[in-house]
Amino acid sequence: MPPSSVRVKIDGHEVVISRARLGLFLKLERYSRDFIKAAKDRDSGACVLAVKQYLEAASGKELDLNKNIWYEFYGAFMALKIMNMIDTEIPMLKNPMRSKGDDPPWTHPDRPFIIWIHVIASTYGWSLTEIENLWPEEAAAYVQEITLDDQFEKEWEHMLSPVAHPADKKGKDQYQPLTRPPWMTGSRVKKQKLLRKTLPVGTIIDISGVKLEDLDD
Amino acid sequence: MIDTISIAGQEYTLSPLDIWEATELLFVFKPYIHLFDEKDDVHEFVKRFATEAQEKGPHDPFRVLAFMYHVDADNLISEATTGEEILEALTTGLIFHEVKTLMEFGSLLGISAGEEDGA
């Protein structure tokens, strides 16, 4: 279980920052994604900006980069990322679906996070404030239940449709059930082989959220 | 702690990295992080780094030095520059900038770059 608060040094002062609830968590994830993209592009300016935005959002304070020592700056980011990891056994998050190909034309940088709010609000009718005040683990559990209901409803409609009942040569019904996402079928994420030299060295602080028991032997 | 070094007769001084310099330095080190073993002393890492850099990026040791000593990489390359001086400057700089911390954050960038997108 991640800690409920961490003490980090920002602008040269020690501050205690508590774990983010859903609203802030989604905002932090956005900056975290920006950081990942910047690191892939080897864009140091964008990396620094993303971490600055992350720390400002997490602490609620504007940062003066000249007052921050680099290892305190990145140290605070790492500590907050670890604290804000979703700690859950929810299958939907342990075995998520990956989008294939290009993003659809209606996507935008905040869309992955707006979806969480949209799914919960349109099902339960809760206000934005109520939803943003959920713990990320609670929100994930609700989203999984909503997604399950939606899948079962689609499966029922599919079962009643002639599309699901093609006939073979003898005219016998060859029922084709609707495909379920991997997290509903219990199939595991394929083990990905990595070269030893690509693994991090030294004291490894895993911020990927993948637990050892989730990996194949 | 030693904070000056002589390269090709020119004196260079070490001072703390700012956030941008440190980030650039981490990017330069990213392909070499696997060479670091905290059980070894810094000299061993520097030797491995210099050897691998000959294949991967001969300019990389100079880029590392340029960030650590706040100078232009081209200024460090001259006919008078010896391999011994480069190794010594790298070792001194990495001790000054705490190589272990650098590598830990380098690993962070490495891990993050491999993460899948999405909340």
Side-chain angles (χ1 to χ4, degrees):
Chain A
M1 186 76 184
S4 57
S5 65
V6 286
R7 188 182 292 272
V8 290
K9 220 167 185 182
I10 292 177
D11 274 0
H13 302 290
E14 279 203 353
V15 285
V16 177
I17 298 177
S18 300
R19 212 159 173 258
R21 288 184 179 259
L22 186 67
L24 179 57
F25 170 81
L26 295 177
K27 196 183 273 185
L28 296 179
E29 280 300 306
R30 160 81 197 272
Y31 298 134
S32 202
R33 273 168 62 110
D34 290 347
F35 172 77
I36 292 164
K37 187 178 179 309
K40 276 181 187 163
D41 297 344
R42 293 176 70 103
D43 182 342
S44 59
C47 267
V48 173
L49 178 66
V51 175
K52 179 178 182 279
Q53 287 174 321
Y54 187 103
L55 296 180
E56 284 179 340
S59 66
K61 289 176 187 153
E62 206 170 310
L63 250 77
D64 179 352
L65 286 175
N66 296 317
K67 287 184 183 168
N68 288 270
I69 301 167
W70 71 270
Y71 49 82
E72 289 174 352
F73 180 73
Y74 282 118
F77 175 55
M78 202 155 75
L80 291 168
K81 282 256 314 168
I82 292 166
M83 178 181 71
N84 286 313
M85 273 185 343
I86 292 191
D87 184 48
T88 180
E89 292 298 311
I90 294 172
M92 193 180 74
L93 292 183
K94 286 174 78 178
N95 200 355
M97 287 172 70
R98 298 289 177 208
S99 56
K100 288 173 187 166
D102 294 335
D103 287 332
W106 53 83
T107 199
H108 55 87
D110 284 323
R111 188 164 181 265
F113 317 119
I114 293 288
I115 291 172
W116 285 59
I117 309 288
H118 169 69
V119 168
I120 296 173
S122 54
T123 305
Y124 301 129
W126 294 343
S127 70
L128 183 62
T129 313
E130 287 170 319
I131 297 167
E132 286 187 335
N133 210 30
L134 293 169
W135 289 111
E137 289 81 0
E138 278 181 297
Y142 288 130
V143 169
Q144 176 171 301
E145 289 313 309
I146 295 164
T147 312
L148 277 174
D149 281 352
D150 187 46
Q151 174 72 22
F152 293 145
E153 198 178 316
K154 278 183 188 155
E155 285 181 12
W156 172 251
E157 286 169 8
H158 177 78
M159 195 177 71
L160 298 176
S161 157
V163 179
H165 301 275
D168 66 6
K169 284 178 186 171
K170 292 177 185 169
K172 200 175 167 187
D173 184 0
Q174 295 291 309
Y175 174 59
Q176 299 286 328
L178 191 67
T179 310
R180 287 183 168 179
W183 62 267
M184 280 183 74
T185 59
S187 57
R188 311 262 293 172
V189 177
K190 267 190 183 175
K191 188 178 177 183
Q192 192 170 359
K193 286 188 176 174
L194 295 170
L195 291 172
R196 185 172 290 277
K197 68 177 185 179
T198 62
L199 295 174
V201 293
T203 311
I204 299 169
I205 302 169
D206 184 3
I207 57 167
S208 68
V210 178
K211 293 176 183 170
L212 278 178
E213 59 267 28
D214 296 337
L215 300 172
D216 286 339
D217 296 325
Chain B
M1 189 182 282
I2 302 165
D3 61 0
T4 57
I5 197 84
S6 173
I7 303 172
Q10 179 81 37
E11 198 83 350
Y12 296 98
T13 308
L14 284 158
S15 60
L17 300 166
D18 68 26
I19 291 171
W20 292 272
E21 287 168 331
T23 310
E24 287 286 351
L25 189 56
L26 294 175
F27 283 137
V28 179
F29 265 129
K30 218 171 128 184
Y32 305 99
I33 288 169
H34 65 281
L35 300 172
F36 179 72
D37 184 339
E38 57 184 301
K39 291 195 286 288
D40 292 343
D41 68 4
V42 181
H43 296 83
E44 292 301 316
F45 168 68
V46 167
K47 272 187 208 162
R48 284 196 288 265
F49 165 61
T51 307
E52 192 147 328
Q54 283 177 352
E55 290 172 24
K56 278 187 175 166
H59 204 58
D60 285 346
F62 295 98
R63 291 173 68 200
V64 170
L65 288 175
F67 285 117
M68 291 197 300
Y69 291 89
H70 313 279
V71 288
D72 195 315
D74 294 335
N75 290 352
L76 297 167
I77 306 169
S78 79
E79 285 178 13
T81 312
T82 66
E84 203 58 40
E85 277 180 328
I86 298 297
L87 291 179
E88 198 184 326
L90 283 167
T91 307
T92 306
L94 288 171
I95 291 169
F96 181 89
H97 292 297
E98 296 189 39
V99 63
K100 192 169 170 283
T101 312
L102 271 171
M103 293 303 143
E104 275 177 9
F105 286 102
S107 294
L108 166 75
L109 281 177
I111 291 167
S112 297
E115 264 186 18
E116 293 289 344
D117 293 349

